[in-house]
């Protein structure tokens, strides 16, 4: 979707290094989400935010932290990357109003060697 | 979060109508049914959403029976570019907006 951009689109890094992925949306959406997608698992929710400085855990939050200092930006941080965190990461956003669907970015492919 | 069950994959010929089914036996009263499409190296893209009966937009139709325990996404006259993974989700948009994606249905359109 045109309103959500993720950066970087691709990254290769080494085990133990910190990594930060950025999601930027121009829709003024209140809610933002981080998912990871792995073969055989579909998309799984890592963390989400329901407003500036308001975040909560998803189903696979261990090893990840997030921050939201502005409505338009949602950062995902891997404090010390592990090979199990090699994945494709997607960001999404929506208004949070009843029956409004989430809109996704095009993902970040992260490889941890 | 309500679970969904879809076929893993299906093939269809170009120009045919494709019907993709989804089971959601534990759907709750406040849940909507939403379908997403995902192409390789792209994020999921919203296709259609409904609560009951039939919903139609410019790309698809969604049929929901009265008991709402299943739904069918219908794609008219598919083309090769409709080859993608299709996800069915049920979610309540009251509360925390959390979605549970299953493994989706890989649809391959054959010339």
């Amino acid at each position: 979707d045109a309103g959500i951009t993720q950066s970087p689109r691709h990254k290769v890094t080494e085990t133990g290094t910190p990594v930060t992925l950025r999601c930027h949306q121009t829709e003024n959406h209140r809610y933002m989400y981080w998912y990871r997608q792995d073969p055989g698992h579909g998309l799984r929710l890592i963390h989400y935010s329901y407003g500036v400085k308001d975040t909560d855990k998803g189903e696979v939050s261990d090893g990840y932290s997030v921050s939201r200092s502005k409505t338009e930006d949602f950062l995902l941080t891997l404090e010390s990357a592990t090979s199990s965190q090699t994945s494709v990461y997607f960001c999404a956003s929506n208004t949070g109003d009843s029956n409004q669907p989430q809109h996704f970015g095009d993902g970040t492919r992260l490889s941890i060697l | 979060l309500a679970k969904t069950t879809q076929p893993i994959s299906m093939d269809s010929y170009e120009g045919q109508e494709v019907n993709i089914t989804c089971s959601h036996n534990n759907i709750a009263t406040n849940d909507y049914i939403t379908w997403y499409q995902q192409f390789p190296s792209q994020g999921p893209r919203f296709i259609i959403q409904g609560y009951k009966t039939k919903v139609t937009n410019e790309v698809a139709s969604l049929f929901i029976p009265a008991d709402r325990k299943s739904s069918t996404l219908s794609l008219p006259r598919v083309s090769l570019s409709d080859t993608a993974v299709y996800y069915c989700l049920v979610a309540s948009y009251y509360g925390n907006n959390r979605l549970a994606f299953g493994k989706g249905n890989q649809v391959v359109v054959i010339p």
Side-chain angles (χ1 to χ4, degrees), chain A residues 33 37 40 94 99 102 105, chain B residues 36 38 49 87 93 97 103:
Chain A
Y33 311 80
Q37 186 171 36
N94 68 350
N99 87 345
Q102 294 182 16
Chain B
Y36 285 83
Q38 187 177 25
Q49 180 175 275
Y87 293 95
Y93 288 99
N97 280 259
K103 298 178 182 179

Side-chain angles (χ1 to χ4, degrees), chain A residues 22-108:
Chain A
R22 180 176 182 250
C23 178
H24 179 77
Q25 54 105 352
T26 58
E27 306 295 327
N28 200 33
H29 284 165
R30 178 184 171 194
Y31 280 72
M32 297 185 74
Y33 311 80
W34 277 107
Y35 294 86
R36 62 179 289 176
Q37 186 171 36
D38 305 290
H41 287 281
L43 280 91
R44 294 180 291 176
L45 181 66
I46 305 172
H47 282 280
Y48 68 101
S49 168
Y50 48 97
V52 173
K53 300 190 188 304
D54 293 322
T55 65
D56 204 352
K57 296 179 180 180
E59 62 179 303
V60 290
S61 59
D62 288 347
Y64 302 95
S65 62
V66 290
S67 63
R68 186 137 178 237
S69 59
K70 298 185 291 185
T71 297
E72 58 267 34
D73 291 326
F74 193 33
L75 303 181
L76 177 71
T77 297
L78 292 65
E79 300 290 349
S80 178
T82 67
S83 58
S84 65
Q85 294 175 310
T86 291
S87 186
V88 181
Y89 291 85
F90 289 100
C91 175
S93 72
N94 68 350
T95 64
D97 294 329
S98 175
N99 87 345
Q100 292 302 305
Q102 294 182 16
H103 297 274
F104 286 78
D106 282 335
T108 294

Side-chain angles (χ1 to χ4, degrees), chain B residues 1-97:
Chain B
L1 299 173
K3 299 291 186 183
T4 61
T5 303
Q6 300 176 246
I8 294 174
S9 65
M10 62 187 299
D11 297 339
S12 180
Y13 287 101
E14 198 172 14
Q16 289 187 330
E17 178 184 76
V18 171
N19 295 309
I20 308 170
T21 60
C22 181
S23 297
H24 27 80
N25 291 320
N26 297 321
I27 190 169
T29 302
N30 291 332
D31 285 342
Y32 283 82
I33 300 158
T34 309
W35 286 79
Y36 285 83
Q37 174 192 56
Q38 187 177 25
F39 299 113
S41 301
Q42 294 186 23
R45 183 175 70 99
F46 170 79
I47 302 175
I48 197 167
Q49 180 175 275
Y51 184 80
K52 61 181 179 180
T53 63
K54 178 183 175 182
V55 179
T56 298
N57 62 21
E58 62 276 9
V59 298
S61 295
L62 178 60
F63 298 91
I64 306 169
D67 66 5
R68 304 201 325 124
K69 293 184 182 299
S70 66
S71 59
T72 300
L73 175 72
S74 180
L75 306 173
R77 298 180 300 280
V78 294
S79 65
L80 299 178
S81 63
D82 292 315
T83 293
V85 177
Y86 292 83
Y87 293 95
C88 163
L89 298 90
V90 293
S92 171
Y93 288 99
Y94 297 97
N96 61 23
N97 280 259

